[in-house]
Amino acid sequence: MRDEKMNSMTNKEWEQVVDEYRAIRVSDSKERNAKNSYLSKVKKGVEEFIKSSQAFDRKDVDRINFNILAEILKEAGITGQRNKMRDIHWMRILLSIVEEKTGKDMLSRVKFPPAGVDVDDPISRQEYIHEQRVNSNLDESQQRAKIAELADELWCSTGTIDGDLVAIRNFPDESSIVHIKMDINITQ
C-alpha cells in the first residue's frame, strides 16, 4: 500500500490540480475552448477510472495512480479529431501542474510525438513517415508492425498512416513533401 501512495495522488489533490488548471487565463476563445474541451475529456477519463475502481471493490479508490493518470491524459489527446497539437500543449501544462503539486516526474511518463512533427498536418506526418521508411524493404507483417508503431508514435490511427503512405507513394519525390512557405507582397 505504501508503494501505491508513493505512485499516486488523492482525489482531493487531483481536484486541486483541476482548479489550478482552470485558473489559467486564456484570452483567445478558440484556445480557451481547446483548454476546456481537453479538461472535459480528462475529467471523464478519471471519473471512469474511479467508477471502475469502485466496481472492483478496490480499497484505494480515493487514489489515482500516476501511470494511469498519464495514460488517461494521453488518451484524451489521442481522441481529438482535430487540434491534437493543442491537446498536447494543454496536456503538458496539466502534467506540469501535477508535477508541481506532487514532486513526481510526470512528463516522462507520456511518450509524446517526435519534436518538430505536427500530428495534425498530413504533410508534416508524411515527411516524418518518409524519413522513417527510407530504404526499408519490409514484408507485409513487418510493414503492418511498422505502421502500428508509427501510428502509436504519431498519435493517430493505422488508417491515417495508410493514407499518408499512399500519398507518399503517389509523390515519391522527396521535394514534393517539403513545406514551402511564401510571402507575396501584392503591392509590388
Side-chain angles (χ1 to χ4, degrees):
M1 183 68 172
R2 186 166 191 268
D3 285 341
E4 178 63 26
K5 285 186 178 186
M6 296 292 289
N7 255 336
S8 63
M9 65 190 314
T10 65
N11 291 340
K12 185 176 181 176
E13 290 171 321
W14 169 246
E15 287 301 320
Q16 291 171 348
V17 167
V18 169
D19 289 342
E20 192 169 322
Y21 178 87
R22 282 186 180 134
I24 297 172
R25 297 281 179 223
V26 180
S27 59
D28 178 30
S29 65
K30 284 184 180 181
E31 196 64 31
R32 186 172 40 255
N33 289 342
K35 173 187 155 215
N36 293 336
S37 172
Y38 180 71
L39 181 61
S40 293
K41 290 185 282 188
V42 169
K43 285 181 65 176
K44 182 179 178 187
V46 169
E47 288 168 6
E48 288 173 7
F49 168 73
I50 290 170
K51 284 180 186 175
S52 69
S53 296
Q54 292 168 341
F56 288 111
D57 280 337
R58 285 188 38 209
K59 296 185 184 345
D60 55 350
V61 294
D62 65 328
R63 302 198 76 78
I64 302 167
N65 181 288
F66 290 132
N67 292 331
I68 292 171
L69 179 61
E71 280 301 311
I72 290 169
L73 276 96
K74 180 178 179 183
E75 188 62 32
I78 289 174
T79 59
Q81 296 300 315
R82 296 177 307 195
N83 296 325
K84 287 182 186 170
M85 295 305 290
R86 279 185 175 161
D87 284 353
I88 290 169
H89 167 75
W90 288 110
M91 177 192 308
R92 287 181 192 274
I93 290 173
L94 195 52
L95 286 169
S96 296
I97 294 170
V98 172
E99 281 184 357
E100 187 180 297
K101 290 278 182 210
T102 64
K104 298 291 183 183
D105 177 29
M106 292 297 294
L107 288 166
S108 67
R109 295 174 194 252
V110 176
K111 184 178 176 188
F112 290 98
V117 177
D118 180 347
V119 295
D120 294 321
D121 179 23
I123 293 174
S124 181
R125 283 193 317 268
Q126 291 165 15
E127 287 175 348
Y128 181 76
I129 292 167
H130 182 73
E131 290 170 7
Q132 298 303 310
R133 349 181 13 255
V134 172
N135 298 325
S136 65
N137 297 321
L138 305 174
D139 67 28
E140 185 63 28
S141 65
Q142 291 172 322
Q143 187 74 5
R144 295 308 315 159
K146 182 69 172 174
I147 288 170
E149 179 185 312
L150 286 168
D152 183 52
E153 201 174 339
L154 297 176
W155 290 27
C156 59
S157 70
T158 55
T160 300
I161 299 297
D162 284 334
D164 288 341
L165 287 170
V166 167
I168 291 169
R169 278 186 218 114
N170 289 339
F171 301 103
D173 184 306
E174 192 170 333
S175 64
S176 66
I177 57 172
V178 174
H179 287 282
I180 298 174
K181 199 175 220 178
M182 295 175 58
D183 291 327
I184 300 173
N185 186 345
I186 298 174
T187 59
Q188 287 182 343

